[in-house]
């Protein structure tokens, strides 16, 4: 998986959680502008589900499941993609 492909996947999933109407969603989008840890029930929230699906995608494509930076939620798609690929 290339970084560009990872960014596309991240943007795709952010769009699925975008009930806030954030536009545009691109590589500069800050995760916390869309995701939340209080929009579901327990761990079934957009922040947790997004992280889980991105980790699954990375592993499924043969990449190491790297530790995410502690500040990933406050960072952009571009920043996070550079840290986990």
């Amino acid at each position: 998986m290339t970084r560009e492909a990872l960014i596309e996947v991240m943007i795709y999933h952010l769009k699925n959680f975008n009930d806030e109407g954030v536009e545009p969603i691109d590589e500069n989008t800050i995760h916390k502008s869309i995701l939340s840890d209080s929009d579901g029930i327990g761990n079934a929230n957009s922040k947790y589900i997004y992280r889980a699906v991105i980790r699954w995608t990375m592993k499924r494509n043969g990449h190491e499941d790297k530790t995410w930076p502690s500040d990933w939620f406050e960072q952009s798609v571009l920043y996070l993609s550079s840290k986990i690929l």
Side-chain angles (χ1 to χ4, degrees), residues 5-62:
L6 175 58
I7 289 170
E8 285 182 36
V9 169
M10 294 167 85
I11 290 170
Y12 173 82
H13 288 295
L14 285 172
K15 286 180 179 180
N16 289 331
F17 288 115
N18 187 22
D19 58 355
E20 291 77 9
V22 173
E23 292 292 334
I25 298 175
D26 58 24
E27 64 186 22
N28 298 310
T29 300
I30 303 299
H31 287 94
K32 72 177 183 179
S33 68
I34 296 173
L35 304 175
S36 173
D37 58 5
S38 63
D39 61 357
I41 301 168
N43 283 342
N45 58 63
S46 60
K47 181 181 178 183
Y48 183 86
I49 294 168
Y50 172 83
R51 183 172 181 210
V53 77
I54 298 302
R55 290 178 65 204
W56 183 90
T57 300
M58 297 292 297
K59 192 74 171 160
R60 181 76 169 126
N61 283 279

Side-chain angles (χ1 to χ4, degrees), residues 49-81:
I49 294 168
Y50 172 83
R51 183 172 181 210
V53 77
I54 298 302
R55 290 178 65 204
W56 183 90
T57 300
M58 297 292 297
K59 192 74 171 160
R60 181 76 169 126
N61 283 279
H63 294 281
E64 176 186 351
D65 184 19
K66 292 183 178 178
T67 302
W68 285 32
S70 60
D71 65 344
W72 75 268
F73 195 55
E74 290 81 27
Q75 301 298 329
S76 70
V77 168
L78 189 62
Y79 172 87
L80 181 57
S81 69

